[in-house]
Amino acid sequence: MTARKTPQTMKPATAAKKLDVYLQATPEEFQAGMVSRDELNALQSDPPEWLRELRRTGPHPRSVVAARLGVSISGLARAGITEALTTDEIEEIRTENPDWLERERATEAEVRRQEAELKNKSRS
């Protein structure tokens, strides 16, 4: 007799993180229940309209905001940005190009340069 496999499930917060969306902006039914691996795969391969719209306009989690601005999450925190932002708000920051954004982009570029340098040294 073979044991029936139970589907692997995850909390909505984990699924939202894997989908790169802000949990509080997802529909109530998504937030309320567990998400199976199959459901997550279906959401990734054929996203429903709410997910496409959320990815397009936000609000976006800080990891997405940081990536779109080219800074680290820590850089966002240093700039006082601790909340999710919409696509329009991200574009507004890019357009204004405040001093903190230039500094944090330079810091991020330096960190990446150093990481690449260390990686190249370890290969030698």
Side-chain angles (χ1 to χ4, degrees):
M1 184 169 168
T2 59
R4 284 182 49 196
K5 280 191 163 183
T6 58
Q8 182 183 10
T9 60
M10 61 193 83
K11 294 178 181 176
T14 303
K17 188 172 185 169
K18 289 180 180 291
L19 292 168
D20 275 337
V21 295
Y22 186 58
L23 177 62
Q24 288 77 1
T26 61
E28 183 62 39
E29 59 272 10
F30 181 86
Q31 294 179 40
M34 298 297 278
V35 179
S36 73
R37 174 64 63 186
D38 290 341
E39 290 169 330
L40 179 68
N41 290 341
L43 288 169
Q44 289 172 325
S45 64
D46 186 23
E49 182 56 35
W50 67 263
L51 182 53
R52 287 194 301 271
E53 183 64 22
L54 194 53
R55 287 176 169 168
R56 189 172 32 255
T57 62
H60 304 286
R62 288 182 303 146
S63 60
V64 173
V65 173
R68 288 188 178 188
L69 290 174
V71 300
S72 67
I73 294 173
S74 298
L76 288 178
R78 284 190 289 272
I81 298 175
T82 57
E83 298 298 318
L85 298 178
T86 64
T87 300
D88 289 343
E89 291 169 326
I90 294 168
E91 287 305 314
E92 188 176 312
I93 291 171
R94 283 174 144 172
T95 301
E96 290 174 1
N97 198 28
D99 290 342
W100 70 263
L101 182 58
E102 288 186 31
R103 269 192 319 274
E104 292 301 335
R105 282 181 172 167
T107 299
E108 184 71 7
E110 178 62 17
V111 167
R112 289 184 183 181
R113 185 194 65 75
Q114 289 175 356
E115 287 174 349
E117 195 174 282
L118 287 173
K119 190 174 186 180
N120 287 336
K121 282 184 181 180
S122 68
R123 289 183 184 168
S124 306

